[in-house]
Amino acid sequence: MPNAINVLGLFAHPDDAEFLCAGTLAHLAQRGASIHMATLTAGDCGSTNLPAAKISAVRRKEASRSAALIGARYHCLMSKDLLVFYDRPHLSKVMELVRQTRPSLVLTHSPVDYMIDHETVSHLCQSACFGAMAPNFSTGSHRPAPPLDGVPHLYYTDAFGKRDILGNKIESRLSVNIGATLKQKEEMLACHQSQQAWLKSQQEIPGTIVTMRNMAKEAGKRAGVRWAEGFRQHLGQGFPATNLLKELLGPLVR
Ligand SMILES: [Zn+2]
């Protein structure tokens, strides 16, 4: 791997990255990449019994612990659940994060997913990657990072359930074999202890590890491997179209 590759995983809520791409982040970390894991919110709605400030503090700690397992740094942009908007304040803080972390590779939510926070983060991330080079976009930060030298490679993770809200299937275009990092992914997800009861009551998700394993098994089918994570690369004009993930992970990517 080229020296000093920075990778940013930017998602809406604590534990999204663990479900969607922690196995891939673990592979990249093992190959020497500096990993940044960021969430827009601290997951303030993710509890039926703790008030927002308390559950936010718990979940930030859980996310930091999970990130530390692969030597990653966790950043929380402190938006509120269900109140992630595509507006100037949100784009400014996402842009500042991109400029501060200076990634060559960015992973984020699918632009079409089961909830609007995820889709909005995906759109914010796309614009921040595209605009991070533009010196005339001021983030308003007290200590702004300089613009990037180039647009980073951007990849979208699978939508949850690999379907849009109308039930249409969204197929991955490439898969990363995570057989060797599944255990790390499980350990990272297990850090999000507060979510076990919540997901059971709110979304009838029986257990986070079982759910994650089912997702990884489903993603593995496309690649003909036991466990995988699925992605689609952003190939629109202005973005690099070479497959950096494949360059970094070689035969693990199909
Ligand atoms: Zn989420």
Side-chain angles (χ1 to χ4, degrees):
M1 173 177 289
N3 278 341
I5 276 240
N6 294 343
V7 175
L8 172 63
L10 175 66
F11 293 89
H13 314 111
D15 82 4
D16 286 333
E18 285 78 355
F19 277 111
L20 296 169
C21 66
T24 299
L25 293 176
H27 276 310
L28 292 164
Q30 278 170 18
R31 284 157 179 77
S34 295
I35 313 286
H36 296 270
M37 294 174 70
T39 62
L40 260 290
T41 87
D44 54 289
C45 285
S47 174
T48 49
N49 50 23
L50 292 180
K54 273 215 170 117
I55 186 65
S56 296
V58 168
R59 297 195 67 186
R60 286 172 71 188
K61 267 195 202 125
E62 290 172 345
S64 296
R65 264 204 301 275
S66 163
L69 290 180
I70 55 166
R73 199 172 144 211
Y74 172 65
H75 311 255
C76 182
L77 299 185
M78 295 309 288
S79 294
K80 301 288 181 206
D81 283 351
L82 304 173
L83 296 172
V84 177
F85 299 118
Y86 191 100
D87 60 12
R88 186 171 188 138
H90 280 86
L91 184 56
S92 294
K93 61 184 174 181
V94 172
M95 180 87 77
E96 188 58 38
L97 176 76
V98 169
R99 287 179 176 167
Q100 295 281 354
T101 55
R102 313 198 79 69
S104 309
L105 174 64
V106 177
L107 308 179
T108 192
H109 287 292
S110 167
V112 175
D113 207 331
Y114 83 101
M115 78 169 298
I116 290 174
D117 279 358
H118 289 194
E119 295 180 343
T120 307
V121 168
S122 184
H123 291 132
L124 287 165
C125 192
Q126 179 191 333
S127 283
C129 289
F130 190 79
M133 291 173 65
N136 288 352
F137 187 98
S138 164
T139 64
S141 166
H142 295 304
R143 297 177 63 187
L148 295 190
D149 300 325
V151 176
H153 288 73
L154 175 62
Y155 291 80
Y156 301 114
T157 57
D158 280 342
F160 273 85
K162 296 187 77 155
R163 290 190 184 274
D164 68 17
I165 56 167
L166 302 177
N168 301 307
K169 194 104 198 255
I170 309 171
E171 286 296 349
S172 323
R173 296 261 177 85
L174 53 103
S175 315
V176 175
N177 183 344
I178 58 159
T181 52
L182 183 76
K183 198 160 168 20
Q184 270 176 299
K185 181 175 162 89
E186 281 180 3
E187 286 166 2
M188 290 170 75
L189 186 57
C191 290
H192 295 272
Q193 236 170 6
S194 68
Q195 293 311 285
Q196 298 281 353
W198 162 252
L199 289 173
K200 200 171 180 178
S201 69
Q202 201 254 347
Q203 295 179 31
E204 294 178 1
I205 289 178
T208 53
I209 301 289
V210 175
T211 304
M212 179 277 279
R213 278 179 165 242
N214 287 339
M215 288 165 65
K217 218 182 272 178
E218 182 62 31
K221 283 183 194 161
R222 180 193 162 274
V225 298
R226 194 155 175 220
W227 312 104
E229 289 166 344
F231 298 91
R232 291 179 295 162
Q233 185 174 3
H234 185 102
L235 295 170
Q237 188 165 327
F239 278 77
T242 54
N243 191 348
L244 180 61
L245 203 49
K246 174 90 180 157
E247 284 169 36
L248 296 172
L249 297 181
L252 292 172
V253 180
R254 292 190 191 178

